[in-house]
Amino acid sequence: VADLIHEELDQQHQLKLKRERIEKLMEKTAFHVRYQPIYRLNDETVAGFECLARFETEPYRSPDQWFAEAEEVGLAEELEIALARKALEALSELPKDVLLAVNFSPATIMTESFAELFATLPLQRVVLEVTEHAAVANYTELSARLHPFRLRGLRLAVDDAGAGHSSFRHVLDLRPDTIKLDMSLTRNIDRDRGRQALAGAL
């Protein structure tokens, strides 16, 4: 019994440390955004930029590990919103015909924080990427949530199509403007007829 109590206390202590680490990260804005260009293949001009999170504090690790820890301590929504707010500041500095693509989990899209952030943005210049690595609890509710924003010009993209949860359902139910195929489907596509056929069908 004593060992179980000690283990429970240790787990609680570890969670407390992780939460404090995420809170400190956000308080100090110890992250930045890299803007990866998206090119038009027909004329090689820049159509937009995908916003990628990069973290600047110890422990130095990949973004997915930071997001996993934030999820573990109940701060995933806050971290996603903080990063998106910082990323979207660039809209005022970029040409009017350049798009910005930001990633959101389905859970965060359903929050009031998301609605508040997107309330005043020029949505005709924003692409919302919904990753397939997170499951959608209710497609009807998610589509209804996005509907008023899409009426204002928000574009929707399914990210990592073919790599995560319910690939075809994501495409059929969300009806995205853009389908971003996972690398596993596009690698060697120039000489793989099966991959060409699957990409064409999607």
Side-chain angles (χ1 to χ4, degrees):
V1 174
D3 288 342
L4 289 174
I5 293 174
H6 183 272
E7 184 179 343
E8 176 69 21
L9 290 173
D10 184 61
Q11 289 177 351
Q12 291 177 4
H13 178 65
Q14 290 302 317
L15 284 174
K16 181 174 182 290
L17 291 177
K18 289 178 180 179
R19 185 177 182 88
E20 289 174 350
R21 184 158 55 211
I22 298 297
E23 289 174 338
K24 184 178 179 181
L25 171 80
M26 292 188 290
E27 180 184 343
K28 295 190 172 184
T29 319
F31 51 77
H32 68 275
V33 179
R34 286 195 179 169
Y35 296 90
Q36 179 172 279
I38 302 167
Y39 289 95
R40 300 180 184 91
L41 293 181
N42 59 340
D43 60 8
E44 297 185 0
T45 58
V46 175
F49 294 90
E50 181 176 2
C51 303
L52 304 174
R54 294 295 181 265
F55 296 88
E56 304 164 347
T57 187
E58 294 183 355
Y60 297 111
R61 53 189 178 173
S62 63
D64 62 313
Q65 291 176 299
W66 279 106
F67 283 115
E69 185 166 282
E71 177 73 29
E72 186 180 358
V73 298
L75 292 174
E77 171 193 335
E78 289 84 349
L79 183 57
E80 282 190 54
I81 294 293
L83 278 159
R85 182 176 287 112
K86 185 173 183 66
L88 292 165
E89 290 174 356
L91 283 171
S92 62
E93 304 171 18
L94 293 170
K96 300 295 184 185
D97 62 342
V98 171
L99 304 173
L100 275 187
V102 289
N103 284 272
F104 273 97
S105 65
T108 298
I109 292 171
M110 298 301 297
T111 66
E112 284 306 309
S113 298
F114 174 88
E116 290 169 6
L117 176 61
F118 277 58
T120 58
L121 292 174
L123 294 186
Q124 70 278 6
R125 298 179 58 202
V126 178
V127 179
L128 177 66
E129 295 193 7
V130 182
T131 180
E132 278 209 344
H133 292 293
V136 174
N138 188 309
Y139 279 94
T140 301
E141 289 181 2
L142 183 61
S143 295
R145 177 62 154 183
L146 290 172
H147 183 66
F149 300 106
R150 298 191 75 179
L151 287 178
R152 289 175 46 211
L154 177 69
R155 304 180 199 203
L156 184 64
V158 168
D159 198 10
D160 303 319
H165 295 272
S166 306
S167 299
F168 291 109
R169 188 163 185 200
H170 255 52
V171 173
L172 290 170
D173 288 0
L174 295 180
R175 299 186 182 277
D177 303 285
T178 303
I179 301 170
K180 296 180 65 179
L181 300 181
D182 184 71
M183 190 183 299
S184 64
L185 299 184
T186 59
R187 186 181 289 113
N188 300 324
I189 196 170
D190 57 313
R191 53 185 181 274
D192 187 324
R193 290 190 177 183
R195 282 179 165 79
Q196 292 170 21
L198 182 56
L202 283 168

